[in-house]
Amino acid sequence: MDFKDKVVVVTGGAKGIGKCICDEFQQAGATICMVDLQDNPYFVGDIANPKILEDFADKVIRENDKVDFLINNAIPLMKGIHDCSYEEFEYAQRVGVTAPFYLTKLFLPHFAQGASIINISSSRDRMSQPQTESYTAAKGGIAALTHALAMSLAGKVRVNSISPGWIDVDYNKYSGSDRRQHPADRVGNPLDIANMVLFLCSDKASFITGENICIDGGMTKQMIYHGDNGWSLEK
């Protein structure tokens, strides 16, 4: 896919899935504007802070005059009900839900024709482990925000979300029950997500909006009981 002259905004683009998304877009000819807490070549800052979002958006528009694709990828804090404070829970929602909403609002007058927003949710928007409330709530929120924005921006911007399952950002290979619990017969890697992001931003996906696409190798579809796929019950 050719994204020459396209301007791509990515939050949390310095490492992991976000970096892979940036790399793939860059190889396809796009201009990358990223924001991350970690050191990166474009903009360093905490997107939980509205002033950071405003300054970042101002820089993007000042330098490019448009946005073609907004990828809300930054990872919210993961803490559970036992040890997560009010402030920490609220912080996770600001990173995971409020920042995507506010960036969309800031860029709204500047989205180019054919623009697309991709929100990175998680398979945790439909399943959970104990002590993950702050992260899970944020991922559920961004999945719901996706279809709300798709309706509000109908005819101007397509809005979709992706829910990754187990994605190993170090591209490790797994065997045994870790692999067999995935009907696709492997654990995922960042390219599995980046490939879908690029597809959803392309003209090939022009009839897709308001959707959440779970990319988890089938993991959330498979029921696992004691003795299945090498798993055993521990008490």
Side-chain angles (χ1 to χ4, degrees):
M1 286 174 279
D2 183 7
F3 291 103
K4 184 180 179 182
D5 300 324
K6 301 296 186 182
V7 176
V8 184
V9 174
V10 182
T11 69
K15 68 174 187 176
I17 292 173
K19 183 178 186 303
C20 185
I21 291 169
C22 290
D23 290 347
E24 292 300 301
F25 267 121
Q26 194 163 42
Q27 289 178 29
T31 297
I32 308 300
C33 305
M34 77 169 73
V35 57
D36 201 299
L37 271 173
Q38 298 195 30
D39 188 46
N40 69 81
Y42 194 79
F43 197 99
V44 176
D46 185 351
I47 65 169
N49 184 335
K51 182 63 163 58
I52 292 294
L53 296 174
E54 291 161 3
D55 290 347
F56 171 62
D58 181 69
K59 175 179 169 68
V60 170
I61 298 306
R62 188 174 64 251
E63 294 180 355
N64 300 280
D65 199 39
K66 68 165 184 172
V67 170
D68 291 284
F69 311 124
L70 169 60
I71 318 300
N72 291 303
N73 166 78
I75 301 173
L77 178 73
M78 182 188 286
K79 296 190 78 170
I81 189 70
H82 291 163
D83 61 354
C84 186
S85 68
Y86 178 94
E87 291 77 15
E88 288 171 327
F89 188 87
E90 184 183 50
Y91 178 79
Q93 310 319 304
R94 293 205 311 270
V95 171
V97 183
T98 308
F101 169 80
Y102 195 37
L103 278 179
T104 301
K105 188 175 182 69
L106 290 169
F107 288 133
L108 196 53
H110 308 285
F111 280 116
Q113 183 176 2
S116 184
I117 297 170
I118 310 296
N119 296 319
I120 305 300
S121 181
S122 168
S123 59
R124 293 173 189 269
D125 63 8
R126 69 206 65 189
M127 59 191 294
S128 293
Q129 291 174 301
Q131 303 304 314
T132 63
E133 280 78 10
S134 66
Y135 182 91
T136 300
K139 291 304 186 180
I142 194 65
L145 180 65
T146 295
H147 57 73
L149 286 174
M151 297 305 101
S152 295
L153 306 186
K156 181 174 177 63
V157 183
R158 290 186 301 107
V159 188
N160 292 289
S161 62
I162 295 171
S163 290
W166 182 354
I167 303 297
D168 191 305
V169 298
D170 295 318
Y171 295 85
N172 291 314
K173 302 293 185 181
Y174 291 82
S175 60
S177 55
D178 284 338
R179 191 187 74 196
R180 289 195 301 272
Q181 70 173 316
H182 295 81
D185 201 37
R186 68 175 176 87
V187 171
N189 64 63
L191 271 172
D192 294 315
I193 309 306
N195 287 336
M196 180 57 73
V197 170
L198 267 67
F199 169 72
L200 288 174
C201 288
S202 75
D203 291 341
K204 297 178 185 295
S206 62
F207 198 53
I208 304 174
T209 192
E211 284 299 316
N212 175 278
I213 300 172
C214 187
I215 302 178
D216 69 343
M219 185 179 179
T220 57
K221 302 301 183 186
Q222 177 164 235
M223 296 178 67
I224 299 179
Y225 287 89
H226 173 61
D228 290 347
N229 295 302
W231 290 100
S232 59
L233 180 65
E234 295 182 3
K235 294 184 178 179

